[in-house]
Amino acid sequence: MDRRAVLSRIGALPVLAAFAGGCAEFGDGYPASATPRSGPVVWPEGRERTALVLGSGGPRGFAHVGVLKVLEAAGIEPALIIGSSAGAIVGALYAAKINTVEIERRALNLGLTDIADPSLLRPNRLIGRAMQNFINAAVDESLIEALPRRFCAVAAPVGKKEVVAFTSGHTGAAVRASAALPSMFLPCTIDGVAYQDGDLVSPVPIHVARSLGATRVVAVDVSAFFEDTPASVPENWKTRDAERRAIIDGEAKDADMLLRIRTPYYAGASREYRETLIRLADAQTRAALPRLLALLK
């Protein structure tokens, strides 16, 4: 199942859910003082400036949970977590220092009603406020700058080939902006600017990590392997996959390590699919662990 199929399931939710969600189409959902902002990162003193970059990938983002489980078990503690789209969702929970067993439990139990709030004005799109609220509740209402681990969420201003790294302010809103995939979500407006999924400009924002001062960058790419593309998929999927790969490859040279997690080409929404991704990512990260430990020693 791909994102379009997931969206069709969401569109089948009861009309009552659409009505309830429609009420949240207006307003920011946070005070002006908590408006997400970009700016420099205050790095922990006395530690190497290691950034962990978690890339976009839609439902494939559940694979990040498997990666984080291995890193946590190995005692690897990045100084900064940077997330784009699905990577921002998982990264925010990790930055809140929720242990990975609990992150896995929440990932496996995540239901459509946790993030699905169909728009009354555009019923084939989700508003995104439900996701915003889900994230903010998970991080105990903490602002980005108050999270136990440094964190930033990367989003793209609508119509521009640039990215913005939110390093302070309302965590839920920043993640919502980062994950606002145009085919599923309405753009997220922050301080008068409309933002959409960071995947469109920087699927694995390695350059953002360097621009924020990271001296070591470990990046995780969970996007589809182009060589695994079935011959029968639509040409526009192939085109977008090729564009995404070109962007990632262009940034990869600035990473100290790029961990590519190989998952089935077609994405899904079932618990079984999520369990499969976490298991695959766990195994592949374990295989790469000696190289990672040598890099970070």
Side-chain angles (χ1 to χ4, degrees):
M1 182 186 297
D2 66 359
R3 293 172 176 173
R4 297 158 185 80
V6 173
L7 182 59
S8 70
R9 285 192 177 188
I10 292 170
L13 290 173
V15 174
L16 179 61
F19 178 77
C23 296
E25 292 189 51
F26 308 102
D28 296 324
Y30 54 84
S33 60
T35 300
R37 308 284 185 190
S38 61
V41 170
V42 179
W43 291 89
E45 293 185 7
R47 290 183 55 194
E48 189 75 31
R49 294 185 174 187
T50 301
L52 175 64
V53 179
L54 303 179
S56 59
R60 295 187 185 91
F62 288 106
H64 287 307
V65 179
V67 174
L68 294 178
K69 287 178 65 178
V70 175
L71 299 187
E72 182 176 82
I76 295 174
E77 178 79 12
L80 171 67
I81 299 96
I82 300 174
S84 178
S85 192
I89 296 172
V90 178
L93 303 188
Y94 185 63
K97 234 169 185 177
I98 300 172
N99 70 68
T100 56
V101 172
E102 175 61 16
I103 293 176
E104 180 178 27
R105 186 192 70 80
R106 296 187 189 193
L108 294 178
N109 292 331
L110 183 70
L112 287 178
T113 54
D114 292 320
I115 60 170
D117 47 1
S119 168
L120 283 178
L121 303 180
R122 296 184 65 185
N124 61 336
R125 295 290 186 273
L126 302 179
I127 300 165
R129 178 68 68 81
M131 178 188 292
Q132 175 175 310
N133 293 342
F134 173 82
I135 292 295
N136 228 48
V139 303
D140 198 25
E141 309 297 324
S142 297
L143 299 179
I144 293 174
E145 62 269 31
L147 292 170
R149 293 185 173 109
R150 271 68 170 180
F151 171 71
C152 83
V154 175
V158 174
K160 296 184 178 180
K161 291 291 185 181
E162 62 184 56
V163 294
V164 172
F166 292 112
T167 55
S168 66
H170 195 274
T171 305
V175 172
R176 172 186 174 184
S178 181
L181 181 71
S183 64
M184 292 185 71
F185 289 93
L186 297 174
C188 176
T189 299
I190 295 176
D191 201 21
V193 178
Y195 292 93
Q196 58 190 7
D197 200 311
D199 172 78
L200 300 171
V201 179
S202 185
V204 186
I206 295 164
H207 288 168
V208 168
R210 291 299 187 191
S211 71
L212 290 173
T215 55
R216 297 188 302 200
V217 178
V218 175
V220 183
D221 175 17
V222 298
S223 57
F225 276 52
F226 195 61
E227 54 268 34
D228 293 342
T229 306
S232 59
V233 304
E235 286 301 318
N236 62 314
W237 291 21
K238 296 178 184 179
T239 299
R240 178 52 193 155
D241 285 347
E243 292 172 346
R244 182 184 289 109
R245 177 52 47 204
I247 296 171
I248 295 171
D249 289 347
E251 295 199 39
K253 62 181 181 295
D254 288 330
D256 295 282
M257 181 173 178
L258 176 64
L259 178 59
R260 295 190 65 197
I261 303 298
R262 196 168 204 149
T263 64
Y265 181 83
Y266 289 110
S270 70
R271 182 186 179 94
E272 180 182 12
Y273 173 79
R274 302 173 199 183
E275 290 173 339
T276 297
L277 259 62
I278 293 171
R279 184 176 65 253
L280 288 171
D282 183 298
Q284 292 173 48
T285 307
R286 287 182 187 280
L289 192 56
R291 186 160 55 101
L292 182 57
L293 291 172
L295 170 67
L296 299 180
K297 67 180 179 180

